[in-house]
Amino acid sequence: MTIDAVMDITRDALFLIIKVSLPVLLVSLCVGLVVSIFQTVTSIQEQTLTFVPKIICVFLSLVLFGNWMMESMVEFMQSLWSNFGLYMTQ
């Protein structure tokens, strides 16, 4: 296995991690921003107020995007395993 092949696999894996985690992280970021603005406007300084909406929205985003996330990861792993013989001969 050459260094170029390892670099290609690593690059593809890191890109997949970013692509798969982005929807959940964006949902969490947006909900946190909305709750923070709400807390600022209403002068509520409760620290635990942000956790419940974030947990609910992250769970819903996992339900919505989970199928796509799993399909992307399975596709990547299938491509790795199908090319396993090529990696061993180099």
Side-chain angles (χ1 to χ4, degrees), residues 18-48:
I18 292 169
K19 184 175 78 169
V20 166
S21 65
L22 189 63
V24 176
L25 291 176
L26 282 177
V27 166
S28 178
L29 177 75
C30 291
V31 170
L33 183 64
V34 168
V35 170
S36 295
I37 291 172
F38 175 75
Q39 282 182 321
T40 302
V41 169
T42 60
S43 298
I44 298 174
Q45 297 302 321
E46 180 64 32
Q47 296 295 325
T48 60

Side-chain angles (χ1 to χ4, degrees), residues 56-89:
I56 292 170
C57 290
V58 165
F59 175 73
L60 291 175
S61 68
L62 285 174
V63 168
L64 289 174
F65 296 112
N67 188 29
W68 168 76
M69 293 164 75
M70 188 57 112
E71 284 178 4
S72 298
M73 290 185 287
V74 167
E75 181 181 305
F76 177 73
M77 287 307 297
Q78 285 177 344
S79 69
L80 272 181
W81 285 108
S82 66
N83 296 328
F84 188 71
L86 296 174
Y87 299 141
M88 296 308 292
T89 59

